């Protein structure tokens, strides 16, 4: 359960923090997203008002040109979050009007910058995710053409790095929601589904086929992540070898080991813990409805809710935890509330 006292402690800490950046991961736009979601789930106008204040502050700061462009702390992530808020109808705005300046700044950067890293946080995958989102929400035909060409250019640039092992099949020591390989494969399949650069995408997947088929992650959480990714790919492109490999990975996933061994009680954050795995499962179930019954998230929610952080008010008061959507309590609550019934936030709790 998420206690009212805990939410107040989060509010108090955030209000006293004068060092917030504007970004999605640990900044004001991430907190705006958190509060809008919480206000929606709890039907609480106060949280929506706080969310609006954070959004107004970010909007004011966007006029400054020294905000980074990256997805983690910069305008790509800010634009992504604003787009999500508009889609959820938390804010009433024209997405093309609101994001036109961000579009232009990112396009100019990609046009002139020749040395761009490849990952999600500060690289091309973050820009690819942003422009994939923009392609799907713009109402302007000229924008659609520009965004399609931008995605094609990004795919071409990323494909040049395949031989350098940029998406080589190795895993970090622990689960990470920003693992590049699954993000890259998922975006390729979603872009292919929209009939964009299909021949090139299929060529890339063919180049990656042997490394992927010879890869079995050590971490069971990473196995689940790779399984979901391959199911996403084969839902769009009929790679029989990927289907066979996905089923082999599935047979070697222990959900019990994920819950009871790999994710210890401290490993609950969105970036590298149980909350992140829960959010990924929710996202992939939306992309691939056929897997909705394969993995029951009830056990994850029960484990998250059983932690002292959420069921002991005294410990909650004394918990010294970082804040932010990716590494803080807000991301954990966002993951739970996005997945679970709102009765986890009962009135004693809210």
């Amino acid at each position: 359960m998420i206690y009212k006292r805990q939410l107040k402690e989060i509010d108090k800490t955030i209000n006293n923090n004068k060092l917030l950046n504007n970004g999605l991961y640990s900044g004001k736009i991430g907190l705006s997203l958190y509060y809008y979601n919480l206000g929606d789930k709890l039907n609480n106008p106060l949280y929506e008002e706080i969310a609006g204040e954070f959004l107004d502050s970010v909007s004011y700061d966007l006029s400054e040109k020294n905000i980074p462009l990256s997805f983690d702390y910069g305008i790509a992530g800010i634009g992504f979050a604003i787009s999500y808020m508009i889609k959820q109808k938390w804010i009433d705005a024209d997405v093309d009007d609101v994001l036109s300046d961000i579009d232009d700044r990112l396009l100019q950067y990609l046009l002139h910058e020749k040395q761009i890293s490849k990952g999600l946080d500060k690289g091309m995958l973050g820009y690819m995710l942003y422009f994939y989102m923009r392609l799907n929400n713009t109402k302007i035909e000229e924008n659609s053409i520009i965004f399609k060409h931008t995605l094609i250019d990004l795919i071409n640039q990323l494909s040049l790095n395949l031989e350098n092992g940029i998406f080589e099949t190795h895993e970090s020591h622990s689960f990470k929601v920003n693992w590049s390989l699954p993000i890259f494969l998922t975006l390729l399949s979603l872009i292919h589904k929209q009939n964009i650069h299909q021949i090139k995408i299929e060529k890339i997947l063919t180049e990656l086929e042997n490394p992927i088929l010879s890869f079995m992650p050590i971490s069971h959480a990473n196995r689940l992540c790779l399984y979901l990714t391959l199911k996403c790919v084969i839902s769009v492109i009929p790679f029989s070898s990927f289907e066979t490999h996905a089923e082999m990975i599935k047979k070697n996933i222990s959900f019990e080991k994920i819950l009871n061994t790999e994710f210890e009680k401290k490993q609950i954050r969105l970036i590298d813990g149980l909350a992140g795995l829960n959010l990924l499962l929710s996202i992939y179930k939306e992309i691939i409805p056929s897997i909705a019954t394969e993995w029951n998230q009830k056990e994850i929610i029960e484990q998250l809710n059983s932690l002292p952080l959420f069921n002991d008010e005294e410990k909650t008061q004394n918990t010294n935890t970082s804040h932010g959507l990716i590494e803080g309590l807000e991301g954990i609550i966002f993951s739970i509330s996005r997945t679970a019934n709102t009765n986890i936030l009962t009135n004693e709790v809210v």
Side-chain angles (χ1 to χ4, degrees):
M1 295 292 182
I2 301 172
Y3 285 88
K4 181 190 289 187
R5 183 190 298 266
Q6 182 200 30
L7 295 178
K8 287 183 177 179
E9 287 298 314
I10 291 174
D11 302 342
K12 180 180 177 181
T13 304
I14 290 171
N15 289 334
N16 290 335
N17 188 345
K18 301 183 184 302
L19 301 176
L20 290 173
N21 61 68
N22 288 290
L24 177 62
Y25 281 22
S26 62
K28 288 182 279 189
I29 199 66
L31 294 175
S32 180
L33 188 66
Y34 160 76
Y35 276 112
Y36 270 125
N37 176 70
L38 200 60
D40 182 35
K41 294 291 184 182
L42 303 178
N43 193 26
N44 188 329
L46 175 60
Y47 286 124
E48 294 174 4
E49 184 178 337
I50 296 172
E53 291 174 0
F54 277 119
L55 179 59
D56 289 342
S57 177
V58 173
S59 299
Y60 177 80
D61 290 344
L62 277 175
S63 60
E64 301 180 9
K65 300 301 181 183
N66 60 349
I67 295 180
L69 300 178
S70 60
F71 192 83
D72 52 2
Y73 300 119
I75 64 172
I78 291 171
F80 184 85
I82 291 173
S83 178
Y84 182 80
M85 295 173 193
I86 294 173
K87 180 181 178 181
Q88 297 299 317
K89 304 189 185 303
W90 295 337
I91 56 178
D92 183 15
D94 183 287
V95 68
D96 288 307
D97 287 343
V98 172
L99 297 180
S100 60
D101 184 58
I102 291 178
D103 294 340
D104 291 342
R105 290 165 70 177
L106 291 177
L107 288 169
Q108 286 298 313
Y109 172 73
L110 293 175
L111 180 64
H112 296 103
E113 182 59 47
K114 303 303 180 185
Q115 298 294 325
I116 305 175
S117 61
K118 310 306 185 293
L120 175 72
D121 297 351
K122 300 182 185 300
M124 283 191 273
L125 284 180
Y127 304 129
M128 186 184 293
L129 180 56
Y130 174 82
F131 282 109
Y132 170 76
M133 171 209 67
R134 287 293 287 122
L135 178 63
N136 285 277
N137 63 22
T138 185
K139 300 174 184 177
I140 301 174
E141 180 62 28
E142 183 180 357
N143 279 354
S144 295
I145 296 170
I146 292 171
F147 299 153
K148 283 180 183 178
H149 282 290
T150 302
L151 287 172
I152 289 170
D153 287 342
L154 287 168
I155 291 170
N156 288 342
Q157 289 183 60
L158 286 166
S159 71
L160 293 175
N161 291 278
L162 290 179
E163 60 186 33
N164 297 328
I166 189 62
F167 297 113
E168 62 186 10
T169 52
H170 75 271
E171 55 185 314
S172 61
H173 295 298
S174 60
F175 168 81
K176 297 276 189 182
V177 294
N178 56 357
W179 182 15
S180 292
L181 178 65
I183 295 169
F184 183 50
L185 294 177
T186 299
L187 281 171
L188 287 181
S189 64
L190 293 174
I191 293 168
H192 185 284
K193 189 175 182 179
Q194 297 194 338
N195 299 318
I196 297 171
H197 218 27
Q198 290 182 323
I199 294 175
K200 182 66 173 182
I201 289 173
E202 290 172 15
K203 182 179 178 182
I204 292 171
L205 292 173
T206 299
E207 289 182 40
L208 288 171
E209 187 173 10
N210 285 335
I212 289 173
L213 294 182
S214 60
F215 178 48
M216 174 66 74
I218 297 172
S219 159
H220 285 253
N222 284 339
R223 289 179 190 180
L224 178 54
C225 186
L226 184 58
Y227 168 76
L228 294 169
T229 303
L230 292 178
K231 292 295 285 187
C232 183
V233 171
I234 60 184
S235 71
V236 177
I237 309 165
F239 267 76
S240 59
S241 58
F242 281 2
E243 176 75 56
T244 302
H245 193 56
E247 291 306 311
M248 183 183 71
I249 292 173
K250 181 181 177 181
K251 291 177 182 177
N252 288 277
I253 296 173
S254 170
F255 214 55
E256 181 181 358
K257 184 167 285 190
I258 292 172
L259 294 176
N260 299 324
T261 304
E262 294 185 352
F263 289 120
E264 297 176 0
K265 290 190 175 182
K266 292 183 179 179
Q267 291 179 282
I268 58 175
R269 302 184 304 176
L270 203 63
I271 181 65
D272 57 5
L274 202 53
L277 184 65
N278 182 60
L279 186 62
L280 281 183
L281 273 168
S282 300
I283 292 170
Y284 278 106
K285 284 181 178 182
E286 291 175 5
I287 297 173
I288 323 162
S290 62
I291 67 166
T293 59
E294 290 186 13
W295 306 99
N296 188 354
Q297 289 168 267
K298 182 179 178 181
E299 292 179 70
I300 296 179
I301 298 298
E302 287 177 350
Q303 179 150 321
L304 285 170
N305 283 331
S306 71
L307 297 171
L309 187 65
F310 291 111
N311 62 22
D312 184 79
E313 296 186 63
E314 183 178 352
K315 288 185 180 179
T316 297
Q317 272 191 295
N318 298 323
T319 299
N320 182 16
T321 308
S322 61
H323 290 275
L325 193 64
I326 293 297
E327 297 187 353
L329 295 174
E330 296 79 15
I332 301 167
I333 295 173
F334 178 82
S335 175
I336 294 173
S337 63
R338 193 180 185 275
T339 306
N341 295 328
T342 53
N343 60 11
I344 65 163
L345 307 165
T346 63
N347 207 21
E348 178 191 21
V349 183
V350 276

